[in-house]
Amino acid sequence: MNRRIATITAAAAVCLSLSGCGLGKAIAGVHEPPAPVTDIASVTPAQAQGIVDRVFTAAGQSRSGSGDVKAARAVAYSGNALTAAVADARLASVAPQVGGNSPAIAPEQPRILALPRGEGFPRVIVVQTVPDKGGLPVLHLVTSPDARTPYRIAESATMLPGSSVRSFTSLASGSRLVTDGKGLAMSPQSLLTDYAKGLSFPAAKVTNPPYTDDRFATQVRAGAAQQASDVSKFASFTQRHTVQPGSVFAIAQNGGGALVFGVLERTDTFTVKKAGSSLTAPKQFTTLVPGKTKLTKQATMRTLEMVVFAVPKGSGQATLVGATEHLVSASGS
């Protein structure tokens, strides 16, 4: 709990004895407002554990299929994570999502890695979970945008094999949000923008990329090239990646550097080349757009890509440590 410094007001007799009291320079300790507390966590570790238990219990309930699933999702998720969770449920019987079934993958005891510092908003809690049946850990960003809105899971990404996350400051001290990129090797927003550009198909050249190459990017680019080849006789194929507004969060770590969360929106577009030709829609498409088995003009599939980067301080390249993608919508004619 944040401590607040009480301001002691002077007695009326003292005020009368001071020339220009209340109009001149403020007297230290009397008229100056209390300084904001910035070096302790916004919530205590015990409070944070209660928040995390509530959120991840609801996430598990929403995936179990029992009870009021919609209400449980509303407690567990917000924004992109909510969109992904709803789509995952629709597609679960057709095909598993790449990199995991849900932003919260049947977690065991959630482990809190970082708590927010200071009195400002938005606030974030960084949580790590491990699937109860084994598998790679998952990093979650649990956020509260303002004092009236409960914390919910906003973004999640499965950690890449062999990846790790450096430590944060103590939970009692809290970890600050890096809003301007100051002290980092690059701006978090520009990092995500360049990464999105580097994933596009046809390929777009990124000069001096601020990130190292990674397995996720390699797989995405290879998948796009294969898609283009598979439909080349009948349709053209393009793939565009854009950073979702308001999705980029950077949390400062011990010794400098930051862990950066972000969400990209991938848009796959198939355009039929000539009249009389058609494309056969896959099961994922027809699940999201019932009745559309043949496409004679164009088809679009939209996927959310949740990514986490380790960004060094000063100079160097960022490294992808987590990524999960979720097909969330489709359209076509």
Side-chain angles (χ1 to χ4, degrees), residues 12-200:
V14 175
C15 185
L16 290 174
S17 68
L18 299 174
S19 175
C21 183
L23 300 176
K25 184 177 179 180
I27 299 173
V30 178
H31 293 291
E32 288 181 344
V37 179
T38 59
D39 59 351
I40 62 174
S42 305
V43 294
T44 66
Q47 289 171 332
Q49 191 62 60
I51 291 168
V52 169
D53 289 345
R54 170 182 58 79
V55 167
F56 283 89
T57 296
Q61 291 173 344
S62 74
R63 297 184 66 247
S64 69
S66 60
D68 190 338
V69 171
K70 186 176 180 180
R73 284 200 196 108
V75 171
Y77 304 112
S78 66
N80 291 308
L82 179 58
T83 299
V86 171
D88 285 353
R90 292 184 66 184
L91 294 167
S93 63
V94 178
Q97 296 281 43
V98 176
N101 296 326
S102 169
I105 307 178
E108 290 183 337
Q109 184 65 34
R111 177 189 173 200
I112 299 173
L113 302 184
L115 293 182
R117 175 187 294 181
E119 299 179 338
F121 285 89
R123 295 177 180 176
V124 304
I125 300 174
V126 180
V127 178
Q128 183 186 61
T129 59
V130 178
D132 59 358
K133 295 181 181 179
L136 295 167
V138 183
L139 295 171
H140 308 270
L141 188 73
V142 181
T143 68
S144 172
D146 55 59
R148 295 180 298 276
T149 306
Y151 284 88
R152 297 184 179 95
I153 300 169
E155 303 175 26
S156 301
T158 302
M159 294 183 68
L160 302 184
S163 63
S164 61
V165 175
R166 291 192 303 106
S167 64
F168 298 87
T169 54
S170 71
L171 296 184
S173 297
S175 300
R176 65 182 179 88
L177 280 178
V178 182
T179 57
D180 56 5
K182 185 177 181 180
L184 300 180
M186 74 285 296
S187 156
Q189 186 70 42
S190 65
L191 165 64
L192 270 294
T193 299
D194 284 347
Y195 190 71
K197 181 180 178 182
L199 293 176
S200 62

Side-chain angles (χ1 to χ4, degrees), residues 198-308:
L199 293 176
S200 62
F201 184 90
K205 182 176 178 56
V206 178
T207 304
N208 299 321
Y211 50 85
T212 61
D213 205 8
D214 60 78
R215 291 177 57 178
F216 178 72
T218 299
Q219 291 173 353
V220 169
R221 288 192 290 260
Q226 186 63 53
Q227 287 269 40
S229 176
D230 290 345
V231 301
S232 59
K233 290 184 179 180
F234 310 103
S236 62
F237 173 79
T238 60
Q239 187 177 92
R240 183 170 57 94
H241 302 252
T242 56
V243 182
Q244 286 283 81
S247 71
V248 181
F249 291 85
I251 303 93
Q253 294 177 292
N254 275 337
L259 193 68
V260 174
F261 286 78
V263 181
L264 310 180
E265 178 183 284
R266 184 175 84 217
T267 305
D268 295 333
T269 302
F270 302 82
T271 304
V272 177
K273 291 180 177 180
K274 59 182 179 180
S277 296
S278 65
L279 298 172
T280 301
K283 289 182 179 179
Q284 294 95 320
F285 187 98
T286 56
T287 298
L288 296 173
V289 190
K292 285 286 184 181
T293 57
K294 292 290 183 180
L295 301 162
T296 59
K297 295 181 180 179
Q298 190 177 78
T300 299
M301 301 179 77
R302 176 174 165 261
T303 300
L304 295 181
E305 301 165 317
M306 301 187 184
V307 296
V308 183

